[in-house]
Amino acid sequence: MKAITLYDVALLAGVSYQTVSRVINDAEHVSARTREKVQQAMAELHYVPNLRAQQLAGKRTRTLGLITTDLALHAPSQIASAVKSRAAGQGASVLISMVEQPQQCQAALQALLAQRVDALLVNVPLDDPHAEALRALATPVPVLFLDVSPSARVNSLVFNAGEGARLGVEHLLSLGHQHIALLSGPESSVSARARLAGWKATLAQAGLDAAAVAYGDWSAASGYEKGHVLLSGAVLPDAILVANDQMALGVMRACAEKGIAVPGQISVVGFDDTADSAWFSPPLTTIRQAFREAGERSVEWLLAPSGEEECWQVQLPVTLVTRHSSARRTPQQAEREDLAQQLRSLALLAGQLARK
């Protein structure tokens, strides 16, 4: 199929080649009527301007590179959508490279640099040395990271995971829950480790240990699988803190299959506040992270002229959203837990007597 050119557009619109070029480049001194004719011709011919050719011709089009994890997951997809939208509003384009493993980031970064991106956003969980190596490799192109620890010597924009973890634990403690299980994200994730550490620290301050700990991969399927594990112990936890809402959905499905009422027998608290969380059954109590704000602020920082060399980290706030998946611990729950404890003590005693 023959490629459509500016000359084809000019012929259909009945104008000169130079006029079509002026319309594409948004130049002045083109009448509204002429601009409309050219745009109609472009639409009819399905003509798409060659941005790379415009760059080579001297028209600068700012381009951002985004390296991200699986866009089937809520957080990465929401951030990518916000990045694309805000960049378009500022006349910039976005090239996206999706990786499955952190080790693939270097190749993705080099591929984006080869396409002459002006700045890079990395939304992949990275340890400090890996993030710092990518920053050095990208120099002088500015890079902003979204999933690194505060100790990394890179520019980063992250959510306050410790604060979110504290809010979740304190909410459950205020409802009288003491036997709290934890479902973390993958151990490779910086944010998952931060949430788990925050949960444990807040429980320790209350003189409690986690009833049980499991690790998922952020998916609802892993929440379902690990939920069954957490619910299969000798004593049922009276609450579960889950590192993201998708896994929380899987946990609630596991509860339903076991005939465990949420929140009647067990409270569930997620993390993220996805758009669907309010429509779970029951609606999910969760920690809200403003993903769109993170994406938009990332674009603003990357496109803003800055002479700062010093590394910094901005922490975005998180908030508790209370819905119906968490409720006050009932006297019936306390009675069941006391009975279970008595049964455990009897079983322990029976074992000791059998060994004598």
Side-chain angles (χ1 to χ4, degrees), residues 6 21 46 56 60 83 162 165 172 189 192 229 241 246 256 267 272 291-292 325 344 350 352 355:
L6 288 182
S21 179
H46 303 289
L56 293 174
R60 184 60 178 163
V83 167
L172 291 176
S189 169
V229 172
L241 284 161
Q246 286 176 281
S267 289
D272 283 346
F291 294 121
R292 293 204 65 84
S325 67
R344 284 201 311 276
Q352 292 172 342
R355 287 192 294 271

Side-chain angles (χ1 to χ4, degrees), residues 45-126:
L45 295 171
H46 303 289
Y47 175 76
V48 178
N50 186 331
L51 295 180
R52 183 59 60 194
Q54 291 179 348
Q55 286 185 358
L56 293 174
K59 178 178 174 59
R60 184 60 178 163
T61 301
R62 293 178 297 178
T63 304
L64 303 181
L66 170 61
I67 303 175
T68 182
T69 51
D70 190 355
L71 290 177
L73 296 174
H74 175 80
S77 66
Q78 286 293 297
I79 290 172
S81 173
V83 167
K84 291 274 289 183
S85 177
R86 180 54 61 92
Q90 298 194 24
S93 59
V94 180
L95 299 177
I96 298 178
S97 178
M98 193 170 75
V99 300
E100 296 180 356
Q101 301 293 334
Q103 294 76 13
Q104 299 171 328
C105 284
Q106 181 172 331
L109 182 141
Q110 290 173 324
L112 290 170
L113 290 175
Q115 297 180 72
R116 300 175 63 193
V117 295
D118 299 281
L120 286 157
L121 180 63
V122 182
N123 188 22
V124 179
L126 297 173

Side-chain angles (χ1 to χ4, degrees), residues 106 126-137 145 148-149 151-154 190 193:
Q106 181 172 331
L126 297 173
D127 57 27
D128 292 6
H130 199 170
E132 290 164 7
L134 288 179
R135 175 186 177 236
L137 183 63
F145 294 82
V148 295
S149 73
S151 59
R153 295 288 300 164
V154 296
V190 173
R193 294 198 301 267

Side-chain angles (χ1 to χ4, degrees), residues 7-339:
Y7 296 100
D8 298 316
V9 175
L11 181 62
L12 181 60
V15 299
S16 68
Y17 167 93
Q18 291 82 0
T19 298
V20 175
S21 179
R22 285 196 291 271
V23 171
I24 291 174
N25 292 314
D26 201 25
E28 298 179 357
H29 311 303
V30 179
S31 71
R33 175 58 184 156
T34 299
R35 190 179 300 275
E36 183 180 354
K37 286 169 56 179
V38 171
Q39 290 172 341
Q40 287 177 347
M42 290 169 62
E44 185 174 337
L45 295 171
H46 303 289
Y47 175 76
V48 178
N50 186 331
L51 295 180
R52 183 59 60 194
Q54 291 179 348
Q55 286 185 358
L56 293 174
K59 178 178 174 59
R60 184 60 178 163
T61 301
R62 293 178 297 178
T63 304
L64 303 181
L66 170 61
I67 303 175
T68 182
T69 51
D70 190 355
L71 290 177
L73 296 174
H74 175 80
S77 66
Q78 286 293 297
I79 290 172
S81 173
V83 167
K84 291 274 289 183
S85 177
R86 180 54 61 92
Q90 298 194 24
S93 59
V94 180
L95 299 177
I96 298 178
S97 178
M98 193 170 75
V99 300
E100 296 180 356
Q101 301 293 334
Q103 294 76 13
Q104 299 171 328
C105 284
Q106 181 172 331
L109 182 141
Q110 290 173 324
L112 290 170
L113 290 175
Q115 297 180 72
R116 300 175 63 193
V117 295
D118 299 281
L120 286 157
L121 180 63
V122 182
N123 188 22
V124 179
L126 297 173
D127 57 27
D128 292 6
H130 199 170
E132 290 164 7
L134 288 179
R135 175 186 177 236
L137 183 63
T139 303
V141 174
V143 188
L144 184 65
F145 294 82
L146 297 181
D147 198 353
V148 295
S149 73
S151 59
R153 295 288 300 164
V154 296
N155 292 314
S156 57
L157 180 71
V158 299
F159 289 101
N160 192 331
E163 174 68 5
R166 182 186 65 79
L167 289 172
V169 173
E170 290 183 349
H171 170 67
L172 291 176
L173 293 177
S174 72
L175 296 175
H177 299 300
Q178 301 283 304
H179 197 61
I180 301 172
L182 312 175
L183 177 51
S184 176
E187 294 180 87
S188 61
S189 169
V190 173
S191 58
R193 294 198 301 267
R195 292 170 201 180
L196 181 60
W199 285 335
K200 289 183 174 180
T202 309
L203 285 171
Q205 290 171 4
L208 300 172
D209 291 322
V213 180
Y215 298 86
D217 65 5
W218 300 126
S219 70
S222 74
Y224 172 77
E225 176 189 351
K226 301 302 181 181
H228 274 287
V229 172
L230 293 173
L231 298 170
S232 63
V235 178
L236 186 71
D238 50 44
I240 301 179
L241 284 161
V242 189
N244 79 332
D245 289 358
Q246 286 176 281
M247 290 196 299
L249 176 61
V251 167
M252 292 201 293
R253 169 67 182 272
C255 289
E257 287 191 358
K258 285 182 170 287
I260 298 169
V262 178
Q265 292 174 264
I266 190 167
S267 289
V268 177
V269 175
F271 212 111
D272 283 346
D273 191 27
T274 67
D276 296 331
S277 299
W279 304 101
F280 289 1
S281 181
L284 182 66
T285 295
T286 185
I287 306 300
R288 183 174 188 270
Q289 300 190 110
F291 294 121
R292 293 204 65 84
E293 179 184 350
E296 291 168 354
R297 288 188 60 174
S298 297
V299 171
E300 291 167 1
W301 184 86
L302 289 169
L303 293 180
S306 174
E308 293 185 9
E309 295 294 333
E310 186 175 345
C311 295
W312 55 263
Q313 180 172 88
V314 171
Q315 288 195 334
L316 296 175
V318 295
T319 54
L320 173 70
V321 179
T322 305
R323 298 194 180 101
H324 302 307
S325 67
S326 58
R328 184 165 296 280
R329 182 169 173 260
T330 64
Q332 291 79 8
Q333 282 180 289
E335 290 173 6
R336 283 194 298 268
E337 289 164 16
D338 289 342
L339 177 60

